[in-house]
């Protein structure tokens, strides 16, 4: 893992050679858990890509911050842009999962010349309508133990955060950050190819079809039988992404 300063210290890894793709992980995850342990890095390297994984601020090996104001998605998108600058990459494909998809969307909207194409996964219509429930999740992260956490969703996030050995206090700050919704008007301005992917049982993501409908030319894939947690390494998702990258 390598670090660079983007105002804060950001960790990243680079593997393979070829056209670059930047992978942006989800909340409480990190580059290793989201993209290497699931076989994504290997899959994309074998497909002839240079694969860049970033640890978002507050996550993985990157610097931990404890003020919710430090975790805006547009600000985290600037970390991603500065990583491309640091690597002297003028344009890359970008794939984000869940929170990473929101960050990837802001990167695409705010720096369209830097994004060759984008894959938004694990977040679909809720990118527009908002996910909600953030305060309960933050409280679950701050609870003295998993046993003290109430509710299925806060328990799931607390369990995942413990499994990924995350800094629970920085995650709580991230969860409490203002999460600006992305307007349909903004999404309608995207001109690069977009693929939207989510599990059919993913209550966090919302509707794939509804997001595809507002992004010009976007394509969508719904993963049968998958939910927010187990869609990440799905083979149908991988096959669709590789095909999309080659199209």
């Amino acid at each position: 893992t390598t670090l660079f300063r983007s105002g804060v210290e950001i960790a990243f890894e680079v593997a393979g050679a070829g056209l670059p793709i930047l992978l942006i992980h989800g909340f409480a995850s990190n580059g290793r858990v989201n993209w290497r342990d699931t076989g994504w890095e290997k899959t994309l390297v074998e497909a002839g890509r240079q694969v860049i994984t970033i640890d978002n601020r507050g996550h993985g090996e990157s610097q931990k911050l404890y003020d919710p104001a430090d975790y805006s998605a547009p600000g985290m998108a600037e970390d991603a842009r500065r990583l491309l600058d640091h690597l002297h990459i003028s344009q890359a494909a970008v794939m984000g999962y869940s929170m990473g998809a929101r960050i990837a969307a802001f990167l695409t909207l705010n720096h369209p010349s830097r994004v060759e194409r984008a894959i938004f996964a694990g977040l679909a219509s809720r990118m527009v309508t908002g996910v909600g429930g953030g305060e309960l999740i933050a409280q679950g992260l701050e609870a003295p133990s998993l046993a003290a956490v109430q509710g299925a969703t806060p328990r799931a996030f607390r369990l995942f955060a413990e499994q990924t050995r995350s800094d629970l206090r920085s995650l709580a700050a991230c969860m409490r950050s203002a999460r600006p919704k992305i307007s349909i008007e903004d999404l309608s301005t995207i001109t690069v190819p977009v693929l939207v992917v989510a599990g059919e049982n993913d209550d966090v993501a919302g509707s794939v079809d509804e997001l595809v409908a507002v992004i010009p030319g976007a394509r969508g894939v719904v993963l049968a039988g998958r939910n927010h947690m187990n869609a990440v390494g799905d083979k149908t998702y991988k096959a669709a992404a590789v095909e999309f990258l080659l199209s």
Side-chain angles (χ1 to χ4, degrees), residues 146-164:
L146 176 64
V149 180
Q150 301 292 315
T153 300
R155 280 182 66 84
F157 275 106
R158 173 61 178 255
L159 184 62
F160 184 56
E162 289 184 3
Q163 288 169 347
T164 57

Side-chain angles (χ1 to χ4, degrees), residues 110-192:
N110 295 338
H111 300 282
S113 67
R114 306 302 295 274
V115 177
E116 184 259 328
R117 60 187 54 221
I119 301 171
F120 303 146
L123 189 65
S125 63
R126 292 282 184 88
M127 188 183 284
V128 176
T129 60
V131 175
E135 180 55 31
L136 290 175
I137 293 169
Q139 289 173 10
L141 291 163
E142 291 172 329
S145 68
L146 176 64
V149 180
Q150 301 292 315
T153 300
R155 280 182 66 84
F157 275 106
R158 173 61 178 255
L159 184 62
F160 184 56
E162 289 184 3
Q163 288 169 347
T164 57
R165 298 189 177 88
S166 296
D167 182 317
L168 298 176
R169 199 158 63 93
S170 69
L171 290 186
C174 181
M175 183 53 69
R176 287 197 173 102
S177 66
R179 277 179 284 175
K181 299 181 181 77
I182 299 174
S183 72
I184 288 171
E185 292 73 28
D186 285 343
L187 292 169
S188 71
T189 68
I190 293 177
T191 57
V192 300

Side-chain angles (χ1 to χ4, degrees), residues 208-220:
V208 168
D209 290 346
E210 286 176 27
L211 185 63
V212 166
V214 298
I215 301 174
R219 288 181 250 171

Side-chain angles (χ1 to χ4, degrees), residues 4-245:
F4 85 106
R5 288 203 66 82
S6 167
V8 301
E9 283 205 327
I10 296 293
F12 68 96
E13 289 198 9
V14 181
L19 293 170
I21 180 166
L22 173 63
L23 306 183
I24 307 177
H25 66 77
F27 178 76
S29 193
N30 55 57
R32 175 184 58 80
V33 168
N34 207 143
W35 306 117
R36 285 194 286 289
D37 293 355
T38 53
W40 268 107
E41 185 180 77
K42 180 174 183 285
T43 296
L44 292 169
V45 167
E46 287 174 355
R49 289 281 168 156
Q50 180 189 51
V51 179
I52 303 136
T53 53
I54 187 172
D55 282 357
N56 291 312
R57 53 174 61 199
H59 294 72
E61 303 292 318
S62 290
Q63 189 173 339
K64 309 304 183 287
L65 304 156
Y66 302 105
D67 182 346
D70 289 325
Y71 289 104
S72 79
M76 291 162 86
E78 293 307 310
D79 291 336
R81 177 193 58 80
R82 284 188 283 262
L83 175 56
L84 295 178
D85 291 348
H86 175 75
L87 295 172
H88 306 291
I89 293 170
S90 59
Q91 193 178 61
V94 179
M95 175 163 64
Y97 193 84
S98 192
M99 177 185 78
R102 182 183 298 280
I103 295 167
F106 278 110
L107 182 64
T108 304
L109 288 167
N110 295 338
H111 300 282
S113 67
R114 306 302 295 274
V115 177
E116 184 259 328
R117 60 187 54 221
I119 301 171
F120 303 146
L123 189 65
S125 63
R126 292 282 184 88
M127 188 183 284
V128 176
T129 60
V131 175
E135 180 55 31
L136 290 175
I137 293 169
Q139 289 173 10
L141 291 163
E142 291 172 329
S145 68
L146 176 64
V149 180
Q150 301 292 315
T153 300
R155 280 182 66 84
F157 275 106
R158 173 61 178 255
L159 184 62
F160 184 56
E162 289 184 3
Q163 288 169 347
T164 57
R165 298 189 177 88
S166 296
D167 182 317
L168 298 176
R169 199 158 63 93
S170 69
L171 290 186
C174 181
M175 183 53 69
R176 287 197 173 102
S177 66
R179 277 179 284 175
K181 299 181 181 77
I182 299 174
S183 72
I184 288 171
E185 292 73 28
D186 285 343
L187 292 169
S188 71
T189 68
I190 293 177
T191 57
V192 300
V194 171
L195 179 68
V196 180
V197 185
E200 70 171 340
N201 302 325
D202 187 340
D203 298 332
V204 175
S207 162
V208 168
D209 290 346
E210 286 176 27
L211 185 63
V212 166
V214 298
I215 301 174
R219 288 181 250 171
V221 174
V222 178
L223 306 172
R226 294 296 191 177
N227 62 35
H228 194 68
M229 293 299 183
N230 67 17
V232 181
D234 182 87
K235 65 179 188 293
T236 304
Y237 170 18
K238 287 185 180 136
V242 169
E243 182 187 349
F244 172 72
L245 291 168

